[in-house]
Amino acid sequence: MATKAQAGNSIIETIKTIVYALLIAGVFRTLFFQPFWIPSGSMKETLLIGDFLFVNKMAYGYSYASCPSVKLGVVGIDIDAEDICGFMDGDNTRLFGGTPERGDVAVFRHPVNNTDFIKRLIGLPGDKIQVKDGVLLINDQAVALKDAGDFEEVMERQGPQGRFPRCENNSAVGEGAICKKSRQIATLPNGVEHAIINIGDQSTDHTGVYLVPEGHYFFMGDNRDNSTDSRVPQNAGGVGFVPYENLIGRADRIMFSSAGRSMLFFWTWRSDRFFKGIT
């Protein structure tokens, strides 16, 4: 029979093991890869609601945004990256900084509310960006577009938020029917090709000219008509220009994808998205 001293030592060792494991996990997440679960449809069809991926933090180097945030409302824990690494904030620089490339799918911290966003990098520092009649112009040159049929999905509640998708054929779609959106292949100036989808004409299809400031980037969602991104300024509830130091990392590959309300519902995992590359 174990003595009280032995039992006490066992508890202490267990606590130490848990603390060490958390420290190792925290260091790994801070320096190398951060898990990210796609909560919205703003990057369809490239990323679907329920895609689970790891963000490569080594791609762009490190800033205050590289530190993890810990939010556990159930137990009252709300630790932001700025609480841990705020001493690195403010100068818009990075340690071992890498250069983001146009077309990267990247995770970044919203410049105002500190929420993590994932979008496609469209505009580099010094670029002139505009959307005219639904066509993206970069430095006064229209991005090449090629029609690619329709993107189709079932009209049903998606993800933990349980929202229905928006459809181009909205008037003819009921629950369980096929929701369609127009799909095109866009070719960026550096040759990166990616799919975009459209739902209809709206204000973000007709914008003014954005001049991307030095040290900042311009992001857009591939689901053009269902994305809160740099086309809307921060004071109007959008993203605006994103500082270099707010970049967290590049998304390169989907690990697995859940079509259900939780990523733990393994019976809803999509068989065609295991280890799928992100382009």
Side-chain angles (χ1 to χ4, degrees):
M1 180 179 295
T3 65
K4 289 184 178 180
Q6 289 174 326
N9 289 336
S10 177
I11 293 172
I12 292 172
E13 289 302 316
T14 300
I15 294 173
K16 287 168 61 177
T17 300
I18 293 172
V19 170
Y20 292 152
L22 291 174
L23 287 174
I24 293 171
V27 170
F28 184 87
R29 178 175 173 178
T30 299
L31 296 180
F32 302 111
F33 298 97
Q34 176 175 318
F36 195 86
W37 191 39
I38 304 301
S40 75
S42 69
M43 281 295 292
K44 291 177 181 177
E45 67 175 357
T46 304
L47 298 172
L48 303 180
I49 296 174
D51 283 349
F52 181 84
L53 50 89
F54 283 99
V55 177
N56 180 1
K57 289 191 170 184
M58 297 176 285
Y60 305 141
Y62 307 98
S63 71
Y64 86 96
S66 303
C67 285
S69 296
V70 183
K71 299 181 185 297
L72 298 173
V74 177
V75 292
I77 295 177
D78 187 0
I79 302 173
D80 190 75
E82 286 188 331
D83 298 328
I84 304 172
C85 296
F87 65 92
M88 299 173 64
D89 186 15
D91 59 1
N92 204 23
T93 60
R94 307 182 72 87
L95 183 65
F96 308 121
T99 303
E101 296 184 5
R102 195 189 314 276
D104 284 357
V105 175
V107 173
F108 58 88
R109 285 169 63 85
H110 189 286
V112 175
N113 63 32
N114 294 329
T115 304
D116 288 351
F117 275 57
I118 185 165
K119 306 287 180 185
R120 189 176 298 274
L121 198 163
I122 296 297
L124 302 173
D127 279 346
K128 182 191 296 185
I129 305 293
Q130 185 178 17
V131 182
K132 186 181 293 186
D133 297 326
V135 177
L136 172 65
L137 283 78
I138 300 178
N139 297 322
D140 298 320
Q141 298 296 313
V143 167
L145 295 173
K146 179 174 64 177
D147 288 337
D150 291 330
F151 171 76
E152 298 184 353
E153 58 186 338
V154 177
M155 173 59 89
E156 61 185 2
R157 296 188 183 276
Q158 299 180 346
Q161 297 175 350
R163 294 178 179 173
F164 288 103
R166 293 177 60 201
C167 314
E168 193 169 20
N169 59 331
N170 232 1
S171 60
V173 178
E175 189 168 356
I178 297 299
C179 170
K180 295 183 179 182
K181 302 174 180 65
S182 299
R183 181 204 284 121
Q184 295 174 304
I185 301 299
T187 303
L188 298 176
N190 59 348
V192 172
E193 293 186 344
H194 65 97
I196 61 171
I197 56 177
N198 291 280
I199 299 168
D201 188 61
Q202 58 184 48
S203 61
T204 48
D205 290 325
H206 314 276
T207 74
V209 176
Y210 306 94
L211 296 176
V212 185
E214 190 65 30
H216 291 71
Y217 295 90
F218 190 98
F219 286 89
M220 292 176 65
D222 291 350
N223 188 355
R224 290 290 169 79
D225 296 334
N226 193 38
S227 174
T228 300
D229 51 40
S230 294
R231 289 172 291 177
V232 179
Q234 295 160 14
N235 60 10
V239 171
F241 302 120
V242 178
Y244 181 45
E245 67 179 353
N246 281 50
L247 304 183
I248 293 175
R250 187 181 64 219
D252 295 325
R253 189 170 298 276
I254 299 162
M255 303 307 293
F256 66 90
S257 180
S258 171
R261 301 294 294 271
S262 169
M263 66 179 179
L264 300 178
F265 294 173
F266 63 87
W267 57 90
T268 67
W269 290 1
R270 301 176 174 107
S271 60
D272 61 338
R273 297 185 73 79
F274 285 104
F275 310 113
K276 180 179 175 66
I278 298 172
T279 57

